[in-house]
Amino acid sequence: FVSCSTASTMEEDIQVLRQAVEIFLDPKAITPDWLYMFNVEGCDVFKRPRGDGGLFEYLTLGPLKDMDAELLFHTFVDLDYSMEWSPYWKKLVKLEDTPTRKHAIQLEYEYPFPLSNRDYVFSRLKYLIQHKGRKIYASVSRHTDDCLTDPPLRKRVVRVPAHLQVLLVEPSSEDPTTCNTLVLYFDDPGGSIPSWIINFVAKVGVPKVLGEMRKATLKYRDFREKRGLSSTLDDPPELDLFGDESKDIACQGGHGCDTDQRVQVSQGDVTRTMHSATFEMRQSFIDLVQTGGLVVSDQTIVVTESTMYVAHV
């Protein structure tokens, strides 16, 4: 997987998500560097070294019985509900979007005494992946590019320099009361905590978090009812990882789209080159288009609520 210590970009998030989905679809894709640890609640837990600091990233894969996939996913991504059911979430701030940061939150997470609480700044993206008849709910959370400087550091908490979490959930085709799950997790909590303590906490925390998630999922409908929220759970935006990635990019003027073709994107004195399909996923450019327009290969981009159309690339 892509190193979590590098700057966060949309392309990296999609790459990490694609690799996770490949394992989810075929567990044989787990490479030998993943070390099997144990099984908890029917899920296999693996770990592998990340970087040279003695830290590990963790992978949990398997079915959860008596769990509704849609409910489990929304329980996980509903920030307001997480503040209610998680005993570790202490303070949550939804940050304003910037040209380089979308859907970001700042979260103070409680660490056991005598350790200082941790301050996370990360973006969370949600997708629905439809692949060969399978409906997979996906969430990707990753530290933001400027997480160590913006927002300003707070006293008595330690800003986390690197964080990555991927959640995949789908209904089981064999048992409607079971959902298949994958969780990929890496954390560098910063500070001066010995790596063996970090790894120990991560190891023992997996069963505990799964148990808490199960209890919270069973109560999610009640939470929404008490808040006067709709009983209908909306699907996240659809993302095509393995099929025709240009299906959401319609080329106007009778020209076909080529997902391998590169386009030049310009605004002011800044010019960037990227794949046309990658550009479609660059949410940070949508605001710029809506407020004044960008130029792509001498053609104008037209943006609707759900689709970005690149004309004649």
Side-chain angles (χ1 to χ4, degrees):
F1 289 97
V2 175
S3 170
C4 304
S5 60
T6 58
S8 167
T9 66
M10 179 71 72
E11 292 95 328
E12 289 179 350
D13 289 346
I14 298 303
Q15 182 179 345
V16 170
L17 181 58
R18 181 181 288 110
Q19 293 171 345
V21 172
E22 287 174 350
I23 291 177
F24 190 62
L25 296 174
D26 181 11
K28 294 180 181 178
I30 297 178
T31 53
D33 55 340
W34 285 104
L35 175 65
Y36 176 78
M37 297 176 62
F38 52 83
N39 182 284
V40 56
E41 292 199 24
C43 296
D44 292 327
V45 182
F46 303 82
K47 71 174 182 179
R48 72 175 179 181
R50 169 56 66 195
D52 301 325
L55 298 177
F56 289 85
E57 58 183 339
Y58 295 86
L59 176 67
T60 302
L61 179 67
L64 288 179
K65 295 183 178 181
D66 301 320
M67 280 284 100
D68 179 88
E70 186 180 34
L71 277 179
L72 177 61
F73 175 76
H74 284 276
T75 296
F76 182 82
V77 300
D78 190 324
L79 299 176
D80 294 329
Y81 186 46
S82 294
M83 281 295 297
E84 180 169 303
W85 69 262
S86 175
Y88 311 108
W89 285 37
K90 294 304 174 185
K91 184 177 181 180
L92 175 69
V93 178
K94 298 177 182 179
L95 303 176
E96 294 185 1
D97 286 350
T98 69
T100 59
R101 183 183 67 199
K102 298 292 181 181
H103 312 296
I105 65 173
Q106 182 179 13
L107 170 67
E108 181 177 339
Y109 194 89
E110 184 179 81
Y111 267 44
F113 180 83
L115 302 176
S116 299
N117 287 355
R118 261 43 185 181
D119 196 30
Y120 290 80
V121 179
F122 60 92
S123 293
R124 173 177 285 176
L125 301 177
K126 298 172 288 185
Y127 299 107
L128 177 64
I129 301 170
Q130 306 247 26
H131 182 67
K132 295 183 178 180
R134 299 174 68 165
K135 184 176 182 180
I136 304 172
Y137 296 95
S139 170
V140 183
S141 302
R142 183 196 280 269
H143 63 277
T144 59
D145 292 353
D146 51 1
C147 64
L148 295 180
T149 58
D150 185 27
L153 302 181
R154 297 192 290 197
K155 295 181 179 180
R156 294 184 295 277
V157 294
V158 176
R159 181 66 53 83
V160 171
H163 166 76
L164 172 68
Q165 188 173 58
V166 176
L167 171 72
L168 302 176
V169 184
E170 70 166 350
S172 171
S173 59
E174 300 177 355
D175 183 356
T177 65
T178 297
C179 63
N180 301 321
T181 63
L182 178 148
V183 177
L184 171 69
Y185 185 80
F186 173 80
D187 225 7
D188 179 356
S192 56
I193 306 175
S195 59
W196 71 267
I197 294 182
I198 298 172
N199 293 323
F200 174 77
V201 171
K203 175 181 176 180
V204 300
V206 171
K208 189 173 184 179
V209 170
L210 287 176
E212 291 169 348
M213 280 287 295
R214 177 183 293 277
K215 294 178 182 178
T217 299
L218 297 175
K219 299 178 180 179
Y220 185 54
R221 292 284 190 192
D222 292 338
F223 167 81
R224 294 184 64 86
E225 184 177 350
K226 291 178 181 178
R227 294 291 184 95
L229 302 174
S230 172
S231 59
T232 302
L233 302 175
D234 296 329
D235 284 339
E238 186 170 343
L239 176 66
D240 186 2
L241 284 178
F242 302 106
D244 179 8
E245 294 186 356
S246 65
K247 72 175 184 178
D248 291 329
I249 305 178
C251 293
Q252 301 174 5
H255 296 275
C257 278
D258 179 1
T259 58
D260 289 329
Q261 184 171 357
R262 289 184 175 273
V263 296
Q264 284 193 332
V265 182
S266 303
Q267 197 211 22
D269 297 329
V270 180
T271 300
R272 303 189 183 190
T273 301
M274 62 186 71
H275 291 289
S276 56
T278 299
F279 181 81
E280 188 273 338
M281 293 183 291
R282 275 294 187 96
Q283 297 295 324
S284 60
F285 284 99
I286 292 180
D287 292 337
L288 298 178
V289 177
Q290 292 174 332
T291 57
L294 294 172
V295 175
V296 177
S297 298
D298 297 324
Q299 299 293 330
T300 302
I301 300 174
V302 181
V303 177
T304 65
E305 290 183 357
S306 60
T307 309
M308 185 177 295
Y309 297 88
V310 181
H312 191 183
V313 300

